Amino acid sequence: MRQQARMMGQMFSNPSRAMQELMQRNMNEMINQQLADWQQSHPQEFRQCVEQFSGKNRSEQVRLLRAQAERSGINLDQLAMQYGIAL
């Protein structure tokens, strides 16, 4: 309830910020759902990925992602920008 009231207050005082927060929350929910689906349908691959990235700092994780994306012929920066993520 408080969150809704805060959101409504922001909508009137700073509509662009309120929209950004709404989009970010929706994006996070979508990503979490995709991860849960992936974990359920491919548990071994999911576990391997978690093991590969666990304990690594952000720059090491980005480096690993770049290497994986390159092997798949994907431009990681372009893909990230589609989701509003700057690497």
Side-chain angles (χ1 to χ4, degrees), residues 26-73:
N26 289 343
M27 183 63 68
N28 288 341
E29 290 172 5
M30 183 183 75
I31 290 170
N32 288 337
Q33 184 60 52
Q34 288 176 338
L35 286 172
D37 293 346
W38 180 39
Q39 183 178 13
Q40 185 176 9
S41 59
H42 304 286
Q44 185 175 352
E45 291 172 358
F46 183 85
R47 190 172 31 260
Q48 287 172 343
C49 188
V50 168
E51 289 171 3
Q52 183 179 13
F53 287 91
S54 292
K56 307 261 187 319
N57 65 34
R58 186 180 188 285
S59 63
E60 291 171 325
Q61 291 174 344
V62 170
R63 185 184 56 74
L64 286 169
L65 280 173
R66 284 189 194 284
Q68 287 180 352
E70 233 175 73
R71 286 191 296 271
S72 300

